[in-house]
Amino acid sequence: MRDLNFPKYEFRYKEMDNQQYIFDIIRKKFVVVTPEEIVRQHLVHFLIEDRQFPKALINLEKVIRFNKMIRRFDLMVYDAEVQPLLIAECKAPNIPITQETFEQVATYNLVLQAPYVFVTNGLQHFCCNIDLKKRQFKYIADIPEYAAL
């Protein structure tokens, strides 16, 4: 796998039944290695180690309902009042970030109402701050540290 546009992190791996697994520090278990999962794990470590996000306020791959459809978000961070703060969509490095990707996460955010949205394929990252009342957004250079949100 090629290098991602994240700092280098130490991950725990294991192999079982000819399949490679990576330890997920949020779900506290080994999960199957896929290109998308590698991106998700890099983002988790980035948020915790580089942006000081509390591990206890991060949730991965949870189901939400939208117009009677069941969807699953990649990553959600909550604020101190356990309200959605940031939703992230992770794609494999070979999947380009497109308008469709933004529409996917925007659809999730209609339900979740997080003021920050982050989209990454591990190579490109896009972060937006959303004014939910004005229904406007602006791109920001990077995810701020947790304390600044």
Side-chain angles (χ1 to χ4, degrees), residues 9-58:
Y9 301 108
E10 293 292 321
F11 296 104
R12 289 175 39 205
Y13 292 95
K14 77 174 185 179
E15 192 166 315
M16 190 170 61
D17 299 327
N18 293 324
Q19 187 127 27
Q20 192 171 23
Y21 292 79
I22 186 169
F23 188 76
D24 180 328
I25 61 173
I26 301 300
R27 293 176 276 190
K28 296 181 173 86
K29 67 179 186 176
F30 282 93
V31 295
V32 174
V33 170
T34 64
E36 182 179 317
E37 189 62 47
I38 294 296
V39 172
R40 185 171 21 255
Q41 292 304 314
H42 275 82
L43 178 56
V44 165
H45 283 260
F46 176 75
L47 292 174
I48 294 167
E49 296 176 32
D50 293 279
R51 295 297 185 257
Q52 290 72 52
F53 280 57
K55 186 173 18 173
L57 296 178
I58 298 174

Side-chain angles (χ1 to χ4, degrees), residues 95-126:
I95 305 294
I97 303 297
T98 64
Q99 182 65 34
E100 186 177 299
T101 310
F102 283 98
E103 289 170 6
Q104 177 183 4
V105 75
T107 299
Y108 298 163
N109 208 33
L110 288 173
V111 174
L112 300 167
Q113 300 286 294
Y116 292 90
V117 171
F118 187 74
V119 176
T120 182
N121 64 2
L123 304 173
Q124 293 182 291
H125 314 300
F126 299 95

Side-chain angles (χ1 to χ4, degrees), residues 67-78:
N67 287 344
K68 299 183 181 179
M69 297 182 292
I70 295 175
R71 299 286 185 241
R72 185 180 301 269
F73 63 76
D74 282 323
L75 182 145
M76 170 70 73
V77 179
Y78 298 93

